[in-house]
Amino acid sequence: MSGTQEELVGFLAAVAKGDRRAFATLFDRTSAKLNASVRRILRSDALAEDAVQDAYMRIWRRAADFDPAIASPIAWMTTIARHAAID
């Protein structure tokens, strides 16, 4: 993962306001981590790719729900990705 926690919090706040550029940057900085987490669960690159795509759609829709007082950005996003993999 590239980027500090503070940067990721800022990107998620911007995504919550509909900022597509912030979303693209968030994706660039976190997708390797989420892909790795999901691949460990699904053991299939194709299934992992679908689950990660679903996870980022959920992140886009739920970014306003993120609370940095409860979890780090990457922990919150990884939880969403794991749920997408299980679903």
Side-chain angles (χ1 to χ4, degrees):
M1 177 188 67
S2 176
T4 66
Q5 181 168 317
E6 293 80 20
E7 288 175 321
L8 296 179
V9 168
F11 292 135
L12 281 168
V15 169
K17 296 176 184 174
D19 186 330
R20 292 174 188 255
R21 183 173 287 163
F23 184 71
T25 303
L26 182 70
F27 177 87
D28 289 342
R29 298 208 180 164
T30 60
S31 60
K33 168 76 172 161
L34 296 191
N35 265 310
S37 295
V38 170
R39 251 186 271 130
R40 279 192 296 275
I41 294 167
L42 298 174
R43 300 183 190 270
S44 163
D45 289 340
L47 291 175
E49 185 177 316
D50 288 344
V52 169
Q53 181 177 359
D54 182 46
Y56 277 101
M57 293 303 299
R58 294 178 188 195
I59 291 164
W60 172 261
R61 290 190 304 264
R62 296 182 48 208
D65 296 339
F66 172 70
D67 183 349
I70 295 174
S72 72
I74 199 65
W76 183 78
M77 294 174 66
T78 301
T79 299
I80 290 172
R82 286 181 180 155
H83 284 275
I86 293 167
D87 289 348

XYZ file of all heavy atoms in Angstrom:
673
model
N 0.848 -1.174 0.000
C 0.000 0.000 0.000
C 0.888 1.230 0.000
O 1.844 1.310 0.731
C -0.901 -0.010 1.221
C -1.760 1.232 1.322
S -2.672 1.347 2.860
C -1.375 1.581 4.034
N 0.521 2.158 -0.822
C 1.262 3.406 -0.889
C 0.367 4.525 -0.378
O -0.807 4.583 -0.696
C 1.678 3.674 -2.332
O 2.317 4.903 -2.429
N 0.910 5.396 0.414
C 0.128 6.516 0.937
C -0.027 6.387 2.434
O -0.141 5.293 2.956
N -0.040 7.514 3.076
C -0.196 7.496 4.520
C -1.658 7.334 4.886
O -2.561 7.550 4.071
C 0.326 8.806 5.138
O -0.522 9.884 4.699
C 1.764 9.077 4.742
N -1.873 6.965 6.102
C -3.243 6.803 6.590
C -4.016 8.111 6.434
O -5.176 8.098 6.020
C -3.232 6.345 8.041
C -4.625 6.130 8.593
C -4.624 5.411 9.916
O -3.895 4.445 10.086
N -5.437 5.874 10.834
N -3.366 9.227 6.728
C -4.033 10.523 6.623
C -4.455 10.805 5.180
O -5.534 11.340 4.930
C -3.133 11.645 7.146
C -2.870 11.585 8.638
C -1.786 10.570 9.019
O -0.977 10.178 8.147
O -1.777 10.151 10.181
N -3.598 10.449 4.227
C -3.938 10.644 2.822
C -5.146 9.793 2.437
O -6.063 10.277 1.760
C -2.763 10.276 1.913
C -1.626 11.263 1.948
C -0.445 10.785 1.129
O -0.135 9.579 1.143
O 0.163 11.638 0.470
N -5.160 8.549 2.882
C -6.274 7.666 2.558
C -7.570 8.165 3.186
O -8.632 8.089 2.558
C -5.969 6.234 3.000
C -4.789 5.558 2.306
C -4.576 4.157 2.860
C -4.962 5.539 0.803
N -7.494 8.693 4.406
C -8.684 9.292 5.040
C -9.194 10.437 4.177
O -10.394 10.564 3.926
C -8.369 9.774 6.477
C -9.491 10.641 7.025
C -8.105 8.589 7.399
N -8.279 11.277 3.694
C -8.662 12.392 2.831
C -9.281 11.930 1.523
O -10.278 12.509 1.063
N -8.716 10.885 0.933
C -9.287 10.354 -0.314
C -10.695 9.823 -0.078
O -11.595 10.063 -0.872
C -8.403 9.261 -0.910
C -7.085 9.757 -1.427
C -5.920 9.069 -1.133
C -6.993 10.904 -2.207
C -4.695 9.513 -1.600
C -5.769 11.355 -2.677
C -4.624 10.661 -2.375
N -10.894 9.092 1.024
C -12.225 8.568 1.314
C -13.222 9.692 1.557
O -14.376 9.609 1.123
C -12.190 7.613 2.513
C -11.696 6.209 2.192
C -11.419 5.426 3.473
C -12.709 5.471 1.323
N -12.794 10.761 2.223
C -13.682 11.906 2.430
C -14.074 12.533 1.098
O -15.232 12.907 0.882
C -13.011 12.940 3.335
N -13.113 12.632 0.195
C -13.394 13.194 -1.136
C -14.301 12.262 -1.937
O -15.217 12.716 -2.639
C -12.092 13.466 -1.880
N -14.066 10.960 -1.830
C -14.914 9.985 -2.521
C -16.344 10.095 -2.008
O -17.302 10.012 -2.784
C -14.364 8.550 -2.346
C -15.360 7.510 -2.815
C -13.041 8.402 -3.087
N -16.505 10.312 -0.718
C -17.847 10.466 -0.138
C -18.601 11.634 -0.768
O -19.828 11.637 -0.802
C -17.740 10.652 1.373
N -17.859 12.593 -1.291
C -18.463 13.756 -1.954
C -18.577 13.559 -3.465
O -18.916 14.475 -4.189
C -17.646 15.006 -1.650
C -17.656 15.367 -0.177
C -16.759 16.548 0.102
C -16.729 16.822 1.596
N -15.764 17.865 1.925
N -18.230 12.356 -3.940
C -18.366 12.049 -5.359
C -17.156 12.371 -6.217
O -17.276 12.441 -7.437
N -16.000 12.546 -5.605
C -14.787 12.905 -6.339
C -14.194 11.682 -7.030
O -13.587 10.816 -6.394
C -13.778 13.523 -5.368
C -12.529 14.063 -6.041
O -12.124 13.535 -7.094
O -11.943 15.008 -5.485
N -14.360 11.613 -8.344
C -13.882 10.461 -9.116
C -12.360 10.400 -9.174
O -11.778 9.313 -9.205
C -14.462 10.500 -10.527
C -15.947 10.257 -10.536
C -16.532 10.453 -11.922
N -17.969 10.394 -11.884
C -18.676 9.357 -12.307
N -18.072 8.307 -12.801
N -19.983 9.389 -12.231
N -11.706 11.529 -9.209
C -10.234 11.551 -9.237
C -9.673 10.975 -7.932
O -8.716 10.206 -7.942
C -9.722 12.968 -9.472
C -8.202 13.017 -9.578
C -7.720 14.367 -9.984
N -8.044 14.543 -11.400
C -8.060 15.695 -12.034
N -7.775 16.802 -11.382
N -8.339 15.764 -13.309
N -10.280 11.354 -6.809
C -9.855 10.808 -5.516
C -10.090 9.298 -5.481
O -9.259 8.544 -4.956
C -10.597 11.488 -4.373
N -11.193 8.858 -6.076
C -11.488 7.429 -6.123
C -10.426 6.687 -6.935
O -9.955 5.620 -6.530
C -12.880 7.198 -6.708
C -13.310 5.763 -6.704
C -13.632 5.118 -5.526
C -13.411 5.057 -7.887
C -14.029 3.786 -5.520
C -13.816 3.732 -7.901
C -14.123 3.106 -6.716
N -10.043 7.255 -8.069
C -9.013 6.631 -8.909
C -7.688 6.538 -8.159
O -6.995 5.513 -8.219
C -8.845 7.415 -10.205
N -7.348 7.597 -7.426
C -6.104 7.589 -6.657
C -6.188 6.581 -5.520
O -5.229 5.841 -5.268
C -5.796 8.997 -6.115
O -5.734 9.911 -7.214
C -4.485 9.024 -5.354
N -7.325 6.539 -4.845
C -7.533 5.565 -3.778
C -7.371 4.145 -4.325
O -6.691 3.311 -3.729
C -8.925 5.747 -3.170
C -9.287 4.846 -2.004
C -8.472 5.223 -0.775
C -10.768 4.938 -1.715
N -7.966 3.890 -5.472
C -7.833 2.585 -6.114
C -6.368 2.270 -6.406
O -5.885 1.181 -6.089
C -8.655 2.535 -7.405
C -8.514 1.242 -8.146
C -9.324 0.168 -7.837
C -7.559 1.090 -9.137
C -9.182 -1.045 -8.504
C -7.407 -0.108 -9.811
C -8.225 -1.177 -9.492
N -5.667 3.218 -7.019
C -4.257 3.004 -7.363
C -3.417 2.674 -6.140
O -2.506 1.851 -6.205
C -3.674 4.227 -8.063
C -4.205 4.424 -9.465
O -4.768 3.457 -10.045
O -4.068 5.540 -9.989
N -3.714 3.299 -5.031
C -2.893 3.141 -3.833
C -3.267 1.938 -2.973
O -2.489 1.552 -2.097
C -2.952 4.409 -2.996
C -2.392 5.581 -3.772
C -1.808 6.607 -2.910
N -1.296 7.700 -3.709
C -0.993 8.865 -3.205
N -1.138 9.087 -1.926
N -0.518 9.811 -3.987
N -4.451 1.374 -3.197
C -4.899 0.297 -2.306
C -5.256 -1.004 -3.013
O -5.422 -2.024 -2.341
C -6.123 0.751 -1.489
O -7.192 1.087 -2.389
C -5.790 1.939 -0.602
N -5.366 -1.003 -4.310
C -5.874 -2.187 -5.008
C -4.960 -3.404 -4.859
O -5.452 -4.536 -4.768
C -6.133 -1.891 -6.487
O -4.953 -1.490 -7.137
N -3.667 -3.222 -4.802
C -2.765 -4.370 -4.635
C -3.040 -5.080 -3.309
O -3.084 -6.318 -3.249
C -1.313 -3.925 -4.727
N -3.233 -4.317 -2.253
C -3.516 -4.885 -0.934
C -4.848 -5.628 -0.944
O -4.949 -6.758 -0.454
C -3.529 -3.766 0.108
C -4.088 -4.138 1.451
C -3.142 -4.941 2.265
C -3.709 -5.092 3.681
N -3.103 -6.169 4.382
N -5.875 -5.010 -1.511
C -7.186 -5.654 -1.515
C -7.171 -6.898 -2.398
O -7.758 -7.923 -2.044
C -8.273 -4.683 -1.969
C -8.515 -3.471 -1.063
C -9.780 -2.746 -1.489
C -8.586 -3.839 0.389
N -6.499 -6.809 -3.543
C -6.384 -7.973 -4.424
C -5.721 -9.138 -3.699
O -6.181 -10.274 -3.792
C -5.577 -7.620 -5.678
C -6.443 -7.218 -6.826
O -7.398 -7.912 -7.156
N -6.116 -6.108 -7.445
N -4.653 -8.867 -2.999
C -3.931 -9.922 -2.280
C -4.813 -10.555 -1.206
O -4.845 -11.785 -1.058
C -2.660 -9.359 -1.661
N -5.538 -9.737 -0.478
C -6.421 -10.251 0.578
C -7.507 -11.146 0.001
O -7.783 -12.227 0.530
C -7.077 -9.096 1.339
O -6.113 -8.360 2.030
N -8.110 -10.695 -1.080
C -9.210 -11.450 -1.683
C -8.693 -12.724 -2.359
O -9.330 -13.776 -2.284
C -9.991 -10.543 -2.662
C -10.975 -11.331 -3.501
C -10.717 -9.448 -1.889
N -7.532 -12.643 -2.995
C -6.958 -13.834 -3.638
C -6.679 -14.944 -2.629
O -6.849 -16.125 -2.932
C -5.686 -13.477 -4.392
C -5.905 -13.544 -5.900
C -4.634 -13.340 -6.682
N -4.497 -11.901 -6.897
C -3.408 -11.205 -6.649
N -2.315 -11.787 -6.232
N -3.374 -9.915 -6.862
N -6.253 -14.558 -1.428
C -6.005 -15.561 -0.384
C -7.299 -16.287 -0.006
O -7.284 -17.457 0.337
C -5.388 -14.922 0.852
C -3.901 -14.694 0.720
C -3.250 -14.333 2.044
N -3.723 -13.069 2.602
C -3.243 -11.877 2.297
N -2.263 -11.759 1.409
N -3.716 -10.792 2.862
N -8.412 -15.588 -0.070
C -9.704 -16.188 0.277
C -10.222 -17.059 -0.864
O -10.644 -18.196 -0.650
C -10.741 -15.095 0.617
C -10.334 -14.348 1.893
C -12.143 -15.692 0.769
C -11.099 -13.073 2.142
N -10.189 -16.525 -2.072
C -10.831 -17.193 -3.203
C -9.928 -18.149 -3.976
O -10.426 -19.016 -4.695
C -11.403 -16.144 -4.159
C -12.494 -15.258 -3.558
C -12.882 -14.170 -4.527
C -13.710 -16.100 -3.187
N -8.629 -17.956 -3.899
C -7.652 -18.802 -4.596
C -7.901 -18.866 -6.105
O -7.666 -19.888 -6.740
C -7.619 -20.196 -3.993
C -7.243 -20.182 -2.535
C -7.137 -21.574 -1.983
N -7.002 -21.537 -0.550
C -5.841 -21.477 0.100
N -4.726 -21.427 -0.559
N -5.817 -21.461 1.415
N -8.416 -17.775 -6.641
C -8.664 -17.687 -8.087
C -8.508 -16.238 -8.502
O -9.176 -15.356 -7.950
C -10.080 -18.162 -8.411
O -10.479 -17.726 -9.692
N -7.644 -15.995 -9.488
C -7.444 -14.628 -9.959
C -8.722 -14.039 -10.548
O -9.050 -12.883 -10.296
C -6.321 -14.567 -10.995
C -4.947 -14.794 -10.377
O -4.804 -14.625 -9.153
O -4.020 -15.129 -11.130
N -9.446 -14.831 -11.330
C -10.672 -14.333 -11.973
C -11.743 -13.995 -10.937
O -12.369 -12.928 -11.016
C -11.205 -15.355 -12.968
N -11.942 -14.887 -9.968
C -12.933 -14.609 -8.925
C -12.503 -13.428 -8.066
O -13.333 -12.603 -7.661
C -13.144 -15.847 -8.057
C -13.833 -17.036 -8.728
C -13.856 -18.229 -7.785
C -15.234 -16.667 -9.174
N -11.207 -13.336 -7.785
C -10.689 -12.228 -6.981
C -10.910 -10.901 -7.699
O -11.297 -9.909 -7.073
C -9.216 -12.432 -6.670
N -10.669 -10.888 -9.007
C -10.867 -9.662 -9.776
C -12.319 -9.190 -9.682
O -12.581 -8.009 -9.471
C -10.481 -9.913 -11.230
C -10.525 -8.681 -12.098
C -10.061 -8.967 -13.515
O -9.050 -9.669 -13.678
O -10.729 -8.481 -14.438
N -13.266 -10.113 -9.809
C -14.684 -9.763 -9.700
C -15.022 -9.251 -8.300
O -15.752 -8.272 -8.143
C -15.566 -10.959 -10.034
C -15.568 -11.312 -11.502
O -15.132 -10.469 -12.328
O -15.993 -12.437 -11.838
N -14.507 -9.927 -7.282
C -14.793 -9.529 -5.901
C -14.208 -8.157 -5.589
O -14.844 -7.344 -4.913
C -14.255 -10.573 -4.932
N -13.003 -7.888 -6.080
C -12.383 -6.577 -5.830
C -13.169 -5.476 -6.547
O -13.377 -4.397 -5.992
C -10.890 -6.589 -6.228
C -10.303 -5.185 -6.226
C -10.110 -7.481 -5.276
N -13.624 -5.760 -7.756
C -14.444 -4.774 -8.470
C -15.706 -4.481 -7.658
O -16.091 -3.317 -7.486
C -14.804 -5.280 -9.856
C -15.622 -4.288 -10.645
C -15.921 -4.769 -12.058
O -15.505 -5.833 -12.472
N -16.648 -3.967 -12.790
N -16.346 -5.525 -7.145
C -17.531 -5.340 -6.316
C -17.186 -4.550 -5.053
O -17.940 -3.665 -4.637
C -18.124 -6.702 -5.959
C -19.396 -6.583 -5.138
O -20.262 -5.763 -5.496
O -19.518 -7.312 -4.134
N -16.037 -4.861 -4.453
C -15.623 -4.151 -3.241
C -15.461 -2.661 -3.504
O -15.915 -1.833 -2.701
C -14.321 -4.741 -2.710
N -14.834 -2.299 -4.613
C -14.655 -0.880 -4.898
C -15.979 -0.180 -5.208
O -16.142 0.999 -4.880
C -13.614 -0.650 -6.001
C -12.213 -0.683 -5.427
C -11.413 -1.804 -5.561
C -11.714 0.398 -4.713
C -10.143 -1.849 -5.006
C -10.454 0.369 -4.150
C -9.675 -0.767 -4.303
O -8.418 -0.791 -3.738
N -16.928 -0.903 -5.762
C -18.263 -0.309 -5.950
C -18.904 -0.039 -4.586
O -19.517 1.004 -4.377
C -19.153 -1.229 -6.791
C -18.709 -1.370 -8.229
S -18.594 0.215 -9.107
C -20.274 0.775 -9.013
N -18.743 -0.977 -3.679
C -19.269 -0.790 -2.317
C -18.556 0.379 -1.622
O -19.192 1.171 -0.914
C -19.099 -2.064 -1.498
C -19.931 -3.228 -1.987
C -19.677 -4.471 -1.158
N -20.319 -5.635 -1.737
C -20.500 -6.778 -1.092
N -20.074 -6.920 0.161
N -21.086 -7.796 -1.683
N -17.249 0.458 -1.799
C -16.481 1.557 -1.203
C -16.962 2.885 -1.756
O -17.146 3.850 -0.998
C -14.962 1.339 -1.429
C -14.478 0.145 -0.590
C -14.168 2.608 -1.126
C -13.134 -0.411 -0.996
N -17.194 2.961 -3.057
C -17.698 4.193 -3.681
C -19.038 4.597 -3.047
O -19.236 5.744 -2.684
C -17.845 3.987 -5.188
C -18.520 5.118 -5.877
C -19.840 5.180 -6.255
C -17.953 6.379 -6.262
N -20.105 6.391 -6.853
C -18.964 7.137 -6.867
C -16.668 6.921 -6.151
C -18.744 8.417 -7.365
C -16.446 8.191 -6.633
C -17.468 8.923 -7.236
N -19.923 3.626 -2.900
C -21.263 3.928 -2.373
C -21.261 4.205 -0.877
O -22.117 4.943 -0.386
C -22.219 2.768 -2.669
C -22.581 2.628 -4.124
C -23.714 1.631 -4.352
N -23.442 0.318 -3.799
C -22.955 -0.710 -4.483
N -22.690 -0.593 -5.762
N -22.745 -1.870 -3.888
N -20.320 3.605 -0.146
C -20.351 3.699 1.315
C -19.238 4.556 1.911
O -19.053 4.561 3.126
C -20.275 2.294 1.906
C -21.493 1.444 1.539
C -21.466 0.073 2.146
N -21.139 0.133 3.564
C -20.525 -0.853 4.223
N -20.178 -1.952 3.595
N -20.266 -0.738 5.497
N -18.526 5.296 1.105
C -17.397 6.087 1.613
C -17.817 7.037 2.734
O -17.045 7.270 3.666
C -16.738 6.854 0.473
N -19.025 7.553 2.672
C -19.497 8.467 3.716
C -19.664 7.760 5.063
O -19.687 8.421 6.108
C -20.814 9.108 3.299
N -19.760 6.441 5.053
C -19.895 5.670 6.295
C -18.564 5.474 7.018
O -18.552 5.090 8.184
C -20.485 4.284 6.009
C -21.895 4.347 5.470
O -22.573 5.365 5.661
O -22.315 3.353 4.839
N -17.452 5.718 6.316
C -16.145 5.506 6.925
C -15.926 6.465 8.088
O -16.165 7.664 7.977
C -15.025 5.674 5.896
C -13.664 5.652 6.530
C -13.159 4.478 7.056
C -12.910 6.804 6.636
C -11.920 4.448 7.669
C -11.672 6.789 7.241
C -11.176 5.605 7.763
N -15.462 5.924 9.217
C -15.162 6.725 10.404
C -13.743 6.396 10.863
O -13.496 5.295 11.368
C -16.167 6.417 11.503
C -15.971 7.263 12.752
O -14.939 7.956 12.877
O -16.867 7.234 13.619
N -12.812 7.335 10.692
C -11.428 7.053 11.081
C -11.246 6.840 12.586
O -10.208 6.335 13.015
C -10.651 8.269 10.586
C -11.667 9.342 10.433
C -12.970 8.656 10.126
N -12.242 7.184 13.386
C -12.154 6.929 14.820
C -12.411 5.456 15.135
O -12.058 4.980 16.215
C -13.161 7.804 15.573
N -12.998 4.736 14.179
C -13.326 3.326 14.399
C -12.288 2.392 13.782
O -11.922 1.383 14.370
C -14.731 3.014 13.842
C -15.782 3.801 14.631
C -15.024 1.520 13.883
C -17.178 3.698 14.082
N -11.818 2.723 12.584
C -10.879 1.838 11.883
C -9.980 2.655 10.974
O -10.318 3.774 10.581
C -11.644 0.813 11.056
N -8.844 2.058 10.617
C -7.976 2.693 9.626
C -8.642 2.529 8.260
O -9.457 1.619 8.065
C -6.599 2.038 9.619
O -6.669 0.746 9.051
N -8.287 3.386 7.306
C -8.897 3.263 5.979
C -8.666 1.885 5.352
O -9.594 1.288 4.801
C -8.206 4.355 5.155
C -7.706 5.333 6.149
C -7.400 4.535 7.387
N -7.461 1.371 5.446
C -7.174 0.098 4.796
C -7.885 -1.053 5.507
O -8.341 -2.000 4.853
C -5.651 -0.144 4.642
C -5.398 -1.202 3.562
C -4.993 -0.492 5.950
C -5.789 -0.814 2.176
N -8.026 -0.983 6.818
C -8.770 -2.029 7.534
C -10.236 -2.007 7.126
O -10.842 -3.065 6.897
C -8.633 -1.837 9.041
N -10.813 -0.819 7.017
C -12.209 -0.686 6.605
C -12.405 -1.228 5.194
O -13.326 -2.001 4.938
C -12.614 0.797 6.698
C -14.038 1.082 6.373
C -15.125 0.877 7.173
C -14.531 1.667 5.168
N -16.260 1.293 6.531
C -15.928 1.790 5.298
C -13.932 2.111 3.995
C -16.733 2.323 4.300
C -14.741 2.644 3.005
C -16.112 2.748 3.151
N -11.513 -0.856 4.290
C -11.620 -1.296 2.903
C -11.372 -2.803 2.781
O -12.047 -3.483 1.997
C -10.633 -0.512 2.037
C -10.983 0.961 1.949
S -9.736 1.927 1.088
C -9.880 1.260 -0.553
N -10.442 -3.330 3.537
C -10.163 -4.766 3.492
C -11.360 -5.561 4.004
O -11.687 -6.619 3.460
C -8.892 -5.108 4.303
O -7.792 -4.372 3.748
C -8.583 -6.584 4.267
N -12.029 -5.060 5.021
C -13.236 -5.717 5.525
C -14.304 -5.766 4.443
O -14.949 -6.797 4.230
C -13.760 -4.990 6.775
O -12.750 -5.049 7.794
C -15.050 -5.622 7.290
N -14.489 -4.666 3.730
C -15.456 -4.629 2.634
C -15.065 -5.634 1.560
O -15.906 -6.377 1.034
C -15.577 -3.209 2.075
C -16.277 -2.301 3.095
C -16.339 -3.215 0.733
C -16.289 -0.838 2.726
N -13.790 -5.689 1.231
C -13.313 -6.617 0.201
C -13.509 -8.067 0.638
O -13.908 -8.911 -0.179
C -11.846 -6.342 -0.123
N -13.253 -8.363 1.887
C -13.455 -9.729 2.382
C -14.927 -10.117 2.311
O -15.258 -11.246 1.935
C -12.920 -9.861 3.802
C -11.424 -9.887 3.844
C -10.899 -10.043 5.246
N -9.456 -10.060 5.227
C -8.704 -9.715 6.239
N -9.243 -9.340 7.373
N -7.393 -9.756 6.141
N -15.804 -9.191 2.669
C -17.238 -9.472 2.577
C -17.646 -9.695 1.114
O -18.455 -10.584 0.829
C -18.054 -8.335 3.192
C -18.042 -8.347 4.675
N -18.901 -9.104 5.443
C -17.268 -7.700 5.558
C -18.654 -8.923 6.725
N -17.653 -8.060 6.813
N -17.090 -8.920 0.210
C -17.384 -9.106 -1.212
C -16.906 -10.475 -1.678
O -17.577 -11.145 -2.474
C -16.729 -8.006 -2.044
N -15.772 -10.922 -1.183
C -15.243 -12.236 -1.557
C -16.136 -13.357 -1.035
O -16.392 -14.332 -1.732
C -13.822 -12.409 -1.027
N -16.616 -13.199 0.175
C -17.462 -14.223 0.780
C -18.829 -14.261 0.104
O -19.387 -15.337 -0.103
C -17.581 -13.994 2.295
C -16.213 -14.246 2.940
C -18.647 -14.874 2.914
C -16.103 -13.754 4.364
N -19.333 -13.088 -0.260
C -20.648 -13.028 -0.941
C -20.533 -13.687 -2.287
O -21.424 -14.224 -2.838
C -21.108 -11.594 -1.112
C -21.510 -10.948 0.210
O -21.653 -11.672 1.212
O -21.687 -9.723 0.229
